[in-house]
Amino acid sequence: MDQRIITICGDASEEMKKIPDSSIKLIATDPPYNLSKDYGKSKDSLAFDEYLEFSRQWLKEAKRVLTDDGSIYIFMGMRYISYIYIILEQELGMTFNSWITWHYTQGIGKTRGFSPRHDDILFFTKHPASFTFNLDDIRVPQKYYRHANNMSGANPGNVWEFSHVHYCNRNRRNHPTQKPEALFERIILASSNAGDMVLDPFMGSGTSLRVCQQLNRNAVGIDINPDYKAMTDERLSGEFSGFDSFDERMKRNTFYDYNYAESKQLDFFSAIR
């Protein structure tokens, strides 16, 4: 089957209504946090109840389009994450799996209060037991050798450390909340397989679709801003020279190539030729 990467300009909730039931294996997305960010074409400063209703509408469609064994990962700021959790669990009946913390080393500076150094990611599944989780595809090298260890590597846990995509990075786009590719790489490897369909209803700069393209997943991305659709299309057509970030623990791997593919392990035999 030929790989399909589809980009759509439109409102997320309305465009998702056009997607057939139970056709998406994984939803991985970074929706607006309602923090008055400038996304060009959309309003990121809704009233409290308006934002919750906006979230409720697209999450309702998300559940509908997921396969019975599908999963959803949602990036969310601390102000609304507990409300999103309640919508997913209490209103939509989905199953909580993990609350992931993305820790970054540089963030907004504050002088009256503690500077934020993390974002959070909610991981829910449609079925409580039947869902994809490819642990062996996302293991990180063990810190110390012990006979009890799985020598393929350790579970990366629910605290992930990746730097922001700095403005000097070759993959940086003109988007206010661009996320590192390695975040989406781990999510997509863990919760989908090659050939599966992945949906990002708020694709922004196209990070999720770029990662899907390199990991042989099919993908649909939606964004209300036509400039972001054009940005994503341009990014997908560009030359690939490696993901823009990696887990620092991968430095323990002797056969890790930092110059070419910053988040890809080299095959052992290729590495020793």
Side-chain angles (χ1 to χ4, degrees), residues 22 31 39 62 64-65 69 87 90 96 110 117 125 147-148 162 164 172 174 179 189 202 211 216 221-222 225 230 263:
S22 304
Y39 293 109
R64 180 186 63 78
V65 303
D69 60 349
I87 291 172
Q90 300 300 315
F96 170 72
K110 293 178 69 174
R117 290 292 182 271
T125 62
H147 287 290
F162 299 103
H164 278 297
R172 182 71 198 192
N174 185 24
K179 297 297 188 291
L189 286 173
F202 305 94
V211 174
N216 196 28
I222 303 168
N225 188 334
S263 57

Side-chain angles (χ1 to χ4, degrees), residues 107-139:
I108 299 170
K110 293 178 69 174
T111 58
R112 296 181 62 83
F114 298 101
S115 297
R117 290 292 182 271
H118 79 276
D119 274 1
D120 294 295
I121 308 167
L122 291 177
F123 169 23
F124 275 73
T125 62
K126 193 168 181 178
H127 190 277
S130 178
F131 59 90
T132 296
F133 192 75
N134 302 312
L135 177 57
D136 287 342
D137 290 346
I138 59 170
R139 291 184 184 274

Side-chain angles (χ1 to χ4, degrees), residues 42 70 119 196-197 232 267:
S42 58
D119 274 1
D196 283 343
M197 182 64 76
T232 298
D267 176 82

Side-chain angles (χ1 to χ4, degrees), residues 5 7 36 61 138 217 261 266:
I5 305 288
T7 60
S36 301
E61 291 301 318
I138 59 170
R217 270 63 169 175
L266 287 175

